[in-house]
């Protein structure tokens, strides 16, 4: 499972011109599910993401986590994070999980996130064409892969 996380001062997602979710300060998380991923991958990524010390303390040091700041999180499914661009010019998504299993793991991740963050979690719509807007705060953008946890 892969995630690209961005520290944001605000973010939101729309589908078909309708706003689905908006957040204030916190994290925008793009989440891709790889073949063979399971709940352990989602659990690992969630704990890593919400506890990463990437928010500034009063001294301006990256010393606080999303849990520490009480910020919100917006989770967007994005299978293109599994793109393999090593051959040719068209990315291959052969390593992305099948949609039904990917949806289950995405919803599992969102549900666990809501539990851990007292509901301060928004989400996109799985498999929908979405417009995602954000104001990256920093910028701070970090890539995490559950299979590279060591």
């Amino acid at each position: 499972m892969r995630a690209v996380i961005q520290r944001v001062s605000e973010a939101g997602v729309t589908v078909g011109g309708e706003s689905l979710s908006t957040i204030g300060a916190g994290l925008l998380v793009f989440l891709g599910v790889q073949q063979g991923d399971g709940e352990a991958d989602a659990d690992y990524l969630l704990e890593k993401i919400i506890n990463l010390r990437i928010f500034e303390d009063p001294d301006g040091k990256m010393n606080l986590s999303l849990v520490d700041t009480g910020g919100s999180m917006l989770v967007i499914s994005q299978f293109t994070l599994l793109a393999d661009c090593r051959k040719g010019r068209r990315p291959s998504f052969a390593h992305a999980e099948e949609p039904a299993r990917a949806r289950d793991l995405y919803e599992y991740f969102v549900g666990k996130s809501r539990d851990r963050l007292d509901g301060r979690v928004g989400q996109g719509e799985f498999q929908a064409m979405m417009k995602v807007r954000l104001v990256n705060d920093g910028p701070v953008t970090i890539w995490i892969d559950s299979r590279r946890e060591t």
Side-chain angles (χ1 to χ4, degrees), residues 14-35:
T14 61
V15 173
E18 180 179 335
S19 176
L20 290 184
S21 189
T22 60
I23 64 167
L27 295 176
L28 172 60
V29 177
F30 293 102
L31 189 70
V33 180
Q34 186 172 359
Q35 288 181 0

Side-chain angles (χ1 to χ4, degrees), residues 14 18 36 43-44 51 75 77 90 94 108 113 124 126 139 142 144:
T14 61
E18 180 179 335
D43 292 340
Y44 168 80
N51 290 298
V75 185
S77 63
R90 179 180 296 180
Y108 174 83
S113 298
F126 190 87
I142 297 174
I144 304 173

Side-chain angles (χ1 to χ4, degrees), residues 107-124:
E107 293 295 341
Y108 174 83
F109 183 90
V110 170
K112 288 288 200 174
S113 298
R114 288 194 170 115
D115 291 345
R116 293 286 283 124
L117 298 173
D118 297 324
R120 299 183 317 272
V121 176
Q123 69 181 96

Side-chain angles (χ1 to χ4, degrees), residues 8-11 22-27 71-73:
V8 297
S9 57
E10 64 181 57
T22 60
I23 64 167
L27 295 176
S72 300
M73 190 162 77

